[in-house]
Each structure stands twice: as structure tokens, then as C-alpha cells.
């Protein structure tokens, strides 16, 4: 894993945009895996600015989001569909039918997961997968204990995750207990992965990722087995520690 150490959140976002832009230039029909949460918001703002200035076009891009809460409608302010539409898709030239997110209100969630993997396969897999990391090492909504072999699936949210994400809801009770998540095996099939880590709250997770063993109890640890992962972390997340530029 290559590690890029950025001075702050803005610099982390700029470095992420640079990688994404390079990927976009090298692919005529780019397939992006996208994430939600606070971490990628700066990158999404840069993508919007660049698109508005004509520096990049997403007209032939296909995107697949990592996860979605079960039971939330696309109009619910806390659904990831709402987040993505408002923070990215509505402001760039992507064709709406090419911006895929699991449907949290699907009648059959299991079927929804299987069809999602099928769609990813039909477009030839994900080229560049963007990731954030949860406090407990989750990626997407793959919580500790999830099999590394898991395909896209329904996930029971860990209490740490529900508490961390309750900042977006009126109360902890409103945070769904279930979600759907692209599986770890699917994430690992991406040709390139960009993991963004920001803020002192993530320092422990980053340290565990870089120094700990590969275990299903810390899902992000599997990334050490992927041949093309770049971590872009800001100084707050690095927390004054010395990490080499390459790990694993
Ligand atoms: C959330 C999402 C993840 C995200 C992570 C970190 O629960 N399901 O996809 O990467 O947790 O979020 P944040 O960037 O807000 O810290």
C-alpha cells in the first residue's frame, strides 16, 4: 500500500482529485466505486468545480456506491442516495441511469444485492474504488467479523457505527440497524483503490490498519493483500507518527 501524507483535509482532497483525474484521463468509460460520509465531501466539491470549468466530464462514467441504509427512501435526507444526489450527481454531467446505488427500499433486499453485483460485472468491474474507513475498521458497511469472501450483502450495523453516524440523524434511535454493502470480495476486485483518512478520530484506525495483522475483525486490513491501494491521510489522522511511504 502506497501512503500519501497530506498536511490537512484540503490537501488530502486535492491529492485524491489528482488520482481520480489521472484515472479518468486513462479510461474512456471509467467505472468508479464511490463512498459517502464526511471524508470524501472535499473531493466531491473538487469534482464539481472541475466539471463546471470543463476540465473533466463524467458523461461516459458509470458509478457504483458502496452502501445504503436498509429502509430509507431515496428522498430521506439520511439516505446515501440523497447524499450522493445533493453532494455530487446533481452538479456534474453524469447520466442519472449510470449512477448506481443500492435501493434501500427494494422489496427483496437479497435480490437487490445480487442484481447489484451482476450490474458491476456487466460493466467489467470497478476501475477505481474510493473508500473511507470506519472507527472499527469497516469499509463500506462491512463490519468486523464479515467474511473476506462476502459478496454484496445485508449488514447488521455495529453499535460503534450507529453511534458515529448518529451525528447525521436526530437521535441514535433513528439510525437504521441494517444496511446493504458491497462485499469485501467485490471491493477487492477493483483494479485500483483509494482510501481517504482524515481527522484525529481516525488516527487509531489508521495505526491499526498500518501496523496490525490481516483479520476479519478489522475489515480494512484485507487491503494489504490488494496490489494497487493508495492511502491518502491527513496529518491529524497520521497523528505525528512516522509511517513509511509503502506498507505491505
Ligand atoms: C460510514 C460509511 C462508510 C464510510 C465510513 C466513514 O458508516 N458506511 O462508507 O466510509 O463510515 O465515514 P466518515 O467519512 O464520515 O468518517
Amino acid at each position: 500500500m502506497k501512503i500519501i501524507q497530506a498536511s490537512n483535509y484540503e490537501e488530502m482532497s486535492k491529492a485524491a482529485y489528482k488520482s481520480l483525474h489521472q484515472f479518468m484521463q486513462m479510461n474512456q468509460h471509467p467505472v468508479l466505486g464511490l463512498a459517502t460520509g464526511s471524508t470524501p465531501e472535499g473531493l466531491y466539491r473538487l469534482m464539481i468545480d472541475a466539471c463546471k470549468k470543463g476540465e473533466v466530464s463524467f458523461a461516459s462514467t458509470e458509478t457504483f456506491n458502496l452502501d445504503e441504509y436498509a429502509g430509507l427512501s431515496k428522498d430521506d435526507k439520511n439516505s446515501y442516495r440523497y447524499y450522493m444526489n445533493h453532494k455530487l450527481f446533481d452538479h456534474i454531467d453524469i447520466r442519472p441511469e449510470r449512477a448506481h446505488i443500492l435501493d434501500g427500499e427494494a422489496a427483496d433486499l437479497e435480490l437487490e444485492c445480487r442484481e447489484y453485483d451482476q450490474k458491476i460485472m456487466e460493466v467489467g468491474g470497478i476501475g477505481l474504488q474510493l473508500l473511507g474507513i470506519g472507527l472499527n475498521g469497516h469499509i463500506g458497511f462491512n463490519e468486523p467479523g464479515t467474511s473476506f469472501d462476502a459478496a454484496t450483502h445485508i449488514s447488521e450495523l455495529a453499535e460503534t457505527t450507529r453511534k458515529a453516524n448518529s451525528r447525521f440523524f436526530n437521535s441514535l434511535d433513528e439510525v437504521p440497524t441494517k444496511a446493504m454493502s458491497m462485499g469485501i470480495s467485490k471491493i477487492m476486485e477493483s483494479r485500483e483503490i483509494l482510501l481517504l483518512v482524515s481527522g484525529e478520530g481516525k488516527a487509531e484506525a489508521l495505526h491499526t490498519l498500518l501496523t496490525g495483522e490481516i483479520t476479519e475483525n478489522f475489515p480494512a486490513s484485507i487491503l494489504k493483500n490488494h496490489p494497487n491501494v493508495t492511502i491518502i491521510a491527513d496529518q491529524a489522522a497520521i497523528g505525528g507518527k512516522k509511517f513509511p511511504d509503502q506498507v505491505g
Side-chain angles (χ1 to χ4, degrees), residues 54-120:
E55 288 167 17
V56 69
S57 168
F58 298 94
S60 57
T61 301
E62 196 99 26
T63 66
F64 289 88
N65 263 76
L66 276 171
D67 45 18
E68 178 59 286
Y69 290 111
L72 296 195
S73 84
K74 60 183 188 325
D75 301 319
D76 188 306
K77 284 196 168 65
N78 282 306
S79 73
Y80 286 164
R81 169 55 83 182
Y82 186 95
Y83 169 112
M84 289 307 300
N85 285 350
H86 285 258
K87 294 193 191 289
L88 185 65
F89 299 147
D90 288 352
H91 312 287
I92 61 174
D93 59 351
I94 192 165
R95 286 169 51 177
E97 69 276 16
R98 291 191 179 153
H100 309 276
I101 303 187
L102 287 150
D103 178 0
E105 284 197 309
D108 184 339
L109 297 181
E110 296 279 2
L111 181 65
E112 176 69 8
C113 293
R114 284 200 299 280
E115 289 181 348
Y116 202 65
D117 284 343
Q118 182 67 27
K119 276 187 233 161
I120 295 174

Side-chain angles (χ1 to χ4, degrees), residues 36-40 66-67 80 132-134 138 140-141 161 165 167 202:
T36 49
S38 306
T39 312
L66 276 171
D67 45 18
Y80 286 164
I133 186 169
H138 74 224
F141 271 136
T161 301
N165 290 1
R167 68 189 193 276
K202 296 289 174 68

Side-chain angles (χ1 to χ4, degrees), residues 16 26 37 52 67 87 135-136 138 146 148 160 165 169 186 200 220 228 230 238 243 246:
M26 278 160 37
K52 287 195 168 146
D67 45 18
K87 294 193 191 289
L135 297 175
N136 59 6
H138 74 224
T146 307
F148 284 152
T160 45
N165 290 1
F169 293 77
K186 296 292 146 193
E200 61 181 324
N228 193 0
T230 302
I238 292 164
F243 293 118
Q246 193 83 37

